[in-house]
Amino acid sequence: MLNLSVAGMLEKSQLSSEGVWLLLVEVAVPDSEEPLRLVRNNEDIVWNGYAWSAFNFTIDEVKEDYKARMTSIALQISNITQTVQAYVENNNGLVGANVVLRVIHSQHLDTVLPEVEEIFTIQATTCDSKWVTFDLGCDMLEQLRFPFRRVLKSFCAWRDHYKGIECGYAGELPSCDGTLQSCRDRDNSVRYGGEPSIPEGGLYA
């Protein structure tokens, strides 16, 4: 199963949790000890001893090769204020810089380990009036901390193991379509293999 912290496991088992999953982006800046630290949220937060600035950004669908290995992912950061573009223009597009994507839970900002952490490298950068888009390569997957499986927002990872150990359903219904509603219909939503509260944008956790 996903190697979540204890607090994260408790939150996952409570689909009605008051908190939310927060997506963090950390972009290394050449010749600087201070990276860009952004959180997709409506207010700034402090996590792991650092301030994370509330910012609008999205993550595109993960691209995979024929062996189902991740090859690249597009990270789009709002360019309305041109804050990020200034870093891009002063640092050769930030090409070659590392980007760390993390997922944490708003109710457990005192937990120093993220629920998910993935490291990428910026391969290319484009800018327009609305977005700075980083094409993130996956050549640093050997530094991947988590996960041991992928988690999707609206699809159960246990669909192909229906009634198996992870699924845990032992009733009479013969099949499952892998949705949260199917789990609810079976009174089995606490074993749902997806993550309804994970941030939008296609991040595989």
Side-chain angles (χ1 to χ4, degrees), residues 20-24 39-43 45 102-107 109 197 199:
V20 295
W21 294 104
L22 298 175
L23 180 57
L24 307 181
V39 56
R40 190 165 64 186
N41 197 28
N42 56 9
E43 61 182 9
I45 67 168
R102 298 181 176 94
V103 175
I104 63 174
H105 199 275
S106 63
Q107 296 288 72
L109 296 182
S197 58

Side-chain angles (χ1 to χ4, degrees), residues 1 13 22 54 61 70 135 150 167 189:
M1 63 181 297
S13 68
L22 298 175
E61 293 295 328
M70 288 193 300
D135 184 13
R150 291 190 308 180
C167 170
S189 60

